[in-house]
Structure formats: C-alpha cells, structure tokens
Amino acid sequence: MREFWIAPSILSADFARLGEEVDAVVDAGADLVHFDVMDNHYVPNLTIGPLVCEALKKHGTSAPIDVHLMVKPVDRIIGDFAEAGASFISIHPEASEHVHRSLQLIRASGCRSGLVFNPATPLTWLEHLLDCVDMVLLMSVNPGFGGQTFIDATIEKISSARRLIDDSGLDVRLEVDGGVKVDNIGAIAAAGADTFVAGSAIFGSDDYAATIGSMRREIRAALD
Ligand code: DX5
Ligand code: ZN
C-alpha cells in the first residue's frame, strides 16, 4: 500500500507567525512542508527564499521541506536551498535552459528532485527524464497564487502520469498542487496521486488537524 502524504503550502500561512504556523501543521499531521518560491519573473508574484527555509530549520522544523521553485533562471538557487535544509526541490522545465542538468544538480546537492508540470505542459518531458526525478508534480492551477480553483482536466493527467510511473517500475512520487480541498482529494487520490499540496484548504480552516484528518478519511474512502 502506498503511503499518502499531505503537504500544507505555507503560502497561505500567517507569515508574521511562520514558525508557529509550521509547528501547528506538523503537529496536526502534515508529512511535508510545501514551500513556494516565486520570483515575480517566472510567475507574477514574489514570496520567500533560502533564508526563510534556513530559519525554519533553525527553528526546529522536523518535517521535510518540499521546495517548489517558480524561479527563472533556476540553477543558481538550487545549491542555496540544499544548504538551507530542503529535502525535495522541484523545478519547472520552462524555467531551466538544461532541464536534465538542473535535475542532476538537485540530486548532486543531496536533495530529492521534482519536475513540475503546468496545466498546459505535456507529460512528454518525462520520456527522457523519468529516471532523473523522485517526484512528478502536477499543477492543477496556473502557478503564482494560492486559493485558485482546481482545473478538472488534471484528473486525466494524474491517471496518465500514474501509468507512466507504474510502467517504469521506478520509485517516483506523484504530487498534485492547486485547489486541493477535502471535497476533491478523494478523486485526486483515486486518479493516482500520492502526495497532496493544500494551502488555503488547510491554513484557511479553523482546525488544521481536523482538516488534515478529513483529507485522510476522504483518501481512504476513495481507495476502498
Ligand atoms: C501555486 C502554489 C501552490 C499554492 C496552492 O502556485 O504552487 O502551492 O500554495 O494553494 P491552494 O491550495 O490554496 O490552491
Ligand atoms: Zn506549490
């Protein structure tokens, strides 16, 4: 049985109390801390960098940090995040001139590598790259903002990515990011995802543990 991971996106956390917010979601049962890095160039928003990742590690955050780089160019910042304590580092193919090299760089720096697919980015990138990735991350919204609506066409893309991963026999996680809520997480799991990013659905709720608990129940119910 696959392990299912919930990855709250701190994009929707209260940044003035970031350490406490991360402690709270980890105590509430989060498996990963999803860390969205935006540069106001590759995406139209600006967020946080390696210093904040390092600060969370120094604060004592024990859960693995899942860094989602929406940054162009991307190579120079990979080493900084590895040093700052990232566990996973994911990149968008459109943000790298040499995608294979960027993925190699992530693994060489001791982190697990992810490749991110925007809604319009075809999975054909995986044809020559699947053995270079530890995580396939499918965007179910266009990157840049929290709180957007899940794009339904992603469900079919999740099934296709699941088939590609299973056929390869490789150990690759399948993560979905954008508009994931208690009421659609079951369908997302049934399509084949095993790692679920949720920002507004968790940080916008009154009880993080209850929301993560409901998400796990929906996943289990969908797979029974
Ligand atoms: C969007 C980010 C997401 C975002 C998800 O570009 O990559 O991780 O925080 O937020 P929700 O879950 O609110 O759609
Ligand atoms: Zn993200």
Side-chain angles (χ1 to χ4, degrees), residues 9 34 36 68 70 137 139 177 197:
S9 162
H34 187 78
D36 288 304
H68 174 191
M70 289 160 273
L137 169 45
M139 293 306 299
D177 183 5
V197 177

Side-chain angles (χ1 to χ4, degrees), residues 99-167:
V99 184
H100 187 277
R101 175 181 288 150
S102 302
L103 293 167
Q104 281 182 315
L105 210 56
I106 296 171
R107 282 186 168 172
S109 71
C111 295
R112 290 203 258 174
S113 61
L115 192 60
V116 195
F117 294 81
N118 283 334
T121 306
L123 293 177
T124 45
W125 281 97
L126 288 176
E127 202 175 315
H128 302 288
L129 290 172
L130 194 52
D131 61 341
C132 301
V133 304
D134 300 297
M135 176 117 87
V136 169
L137 169 45
L138 301 186
M139 293 306 299
S140 35
V141 299
N142 286 295
F145 304 95
Q148 302 180 78
T149 304
F150 184 89
I151 297 170
D152 289 327
T154 314
I155 293 289
E156 225 175 287
K157 203 170 176 185
I158 298 168
S159 308
S160 306
R162 169 50 57 202
R163 267 194 302 278
L164 284 172
I165 292 169
D166 286 351
D167 290 350

